[in-house]
């Protein structure tokens, strides 16, 4: 009996290790497919009370003057991980450090530009969700440090 419990624990540890190592590439690939631009994620860490993303970069649309549309050194969402299963998710704190935002505009008089293209790509690649199936996310506190905008 003890051998079975040990084997199950080892199997669970192996599964968690595989999932945690695949999470950055899965997230980057998924976001890249939706945004239609290259995306990289350095690392993602999970704990019961926090999810952290490190070295997140969204590259720019083709023919842009700037290489990147956005990069973030560290983003952490502080809340119980099991609340993501609820219809209303309350995030106690989102802490973002080391933000770069590359903004390009089509003309001096228009608000359209690189982010318009990226967000249109996301909207066009996302399947519509029924209103009753939508999840609400409430953020109690958002802290952004060290912002650079081009």
């Amino acid at each position: 009996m003890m051998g079975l419990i040990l084997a199950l624990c080892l199997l669970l540890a192996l599964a968690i290790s595989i999932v945690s190592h695949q999470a950055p590439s899965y997230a980057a690939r998924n976001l890249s497919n939706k945004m239609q631009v290259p995306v990289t994620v350095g690392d993602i860490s999970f704990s019961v009370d926090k999810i952290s993303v490190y070295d997140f970069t969204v590259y720019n649309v083709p023919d842009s003057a700037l290489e990147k549309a956005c990069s973030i050194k560290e983003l952490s969402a502080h809340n119980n991980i099991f609340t993501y299963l609820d219809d209303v998710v309350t995030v106690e704190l989102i802490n973002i450090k080391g933000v770069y935002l590359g903004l390009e505009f089509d003309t001096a008089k228009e608000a359209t530009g690189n982010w318009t293209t990226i967000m249109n790509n996301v909207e066009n690649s996302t399947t519509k969700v029924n209103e009753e199936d939508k999840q609400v996310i409430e953020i109690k506190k958002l802290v952004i440090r060290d912002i650079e905008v081009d």
Side-chain angles (χ1 to χ4, degrees), residues 67-78:
E67 177 187 18
K68 297 180 207 173
C70 174
S71 66
I72 297 172
K73 286 287 181 195
E74 179 182 348
L75 181 149
S76 56
H78 299 259

Side-chain angles (χ1 to χ4, degrees), residues 21-44 52-60 67-75 98 100 115 118:
H21 282 85
Q22 296 299 321
S25 61
Y26 174 78
R29 187 172 47 255
N30 191 9
L31 288 169
S32 182
N33 287 340
K34 289 178 187 277
M35 295 180 174
Q36 298 299 303
V37 294
V39 175
T40 59
V41 177
D43 194 19
I44 299 176
S52 297
V53 178
Y54 303 94
D55 299 322
F56 171 74
T57 303
V58 176
Y59 290 89
N60 233 329
E67 177 187 18
K68 297 180 207 173
C70 174
S71 66
I72 297 172
K73 286 287 181 195
E74 179 182 348
L75 181 149
Y100 168 79
W115 276 102
I118 291 170

Side-chain angles (χ1 to χ4, degrees), residues 9-147:
C9 288
L10 288 174
L11 188 59
L12 180 62
L14 179 64
I16 290 171
S17 175
I18 290 170
V19 168
S20 67
H21 282 85
Q22 296 299 321
S25 61
Y26 174 78
R29 187 172 47 255
N30 191 9
L31 288 169
S32 182
N33 287 340
K34 289 178 187 277
M35 295 180 174
Q36 298 299 303
V37 294
V39 175
T40 59
V41 177
D43 194 19
I44 299 176
S45 66
F46 303 93
S47 68
V48 173
D49 62 347
K50 181 170 76 168
I51 297 174
S52 297
V53 178
Y54 303 94
D55 299 322
F56 171 74
T57 303
V58 176
Y59 290 89
N60 233 329
V61 296
D63 300 324
S64 293
L66 300 172
E67 177 187 18
K68 297 180 207 173
C70 174
S71 66
I72 297 172
K73 286 287 181 195
E74 179 182 348
L75 181 149
S76 56
H78 299 259
N79 64 311
N80 187 307
I81 196 165
F82 298 109
T83 62
Y84 288 106
L85 302 173
D86 298 337
D87 290 336
V88 177
V89 177
T90 301
V91 179
E92 297 298 322
L93 168 67
I94 293 182
N95 195 2
I96 305 173
K97 299 176 188 173
V99 177
Y100 168 79
L101 188 58
L103 297 175
E104 294 185 23
F105 299 98
D106 295 335
T107 68
K109 296 183 185 246
E110 293 181 31
T112 59
N114 62 330
W115 276 102
T116 306
T117 303
I118 291 170
M119 295 313 295
N120 285 341
N121 290 344
V122 170
E123 185 176 344
N124 293 334
S125 70
T126 304
T127 58
K128 302 298 179 207
V129 177
N130 293 331
E131 285 298 318
E132 62 271 2
D133 294 336
K134 285 188 178 179
Q135 192 176 43
V136 175
I137 299 176
E138 298 173 347
I139 301 169
K140 288 190 174 181
K141 186 174 182 182
L142 174 65
V143 178
I144 304 173
R145 293 188 174 103
D146 188 22
I147 303 172

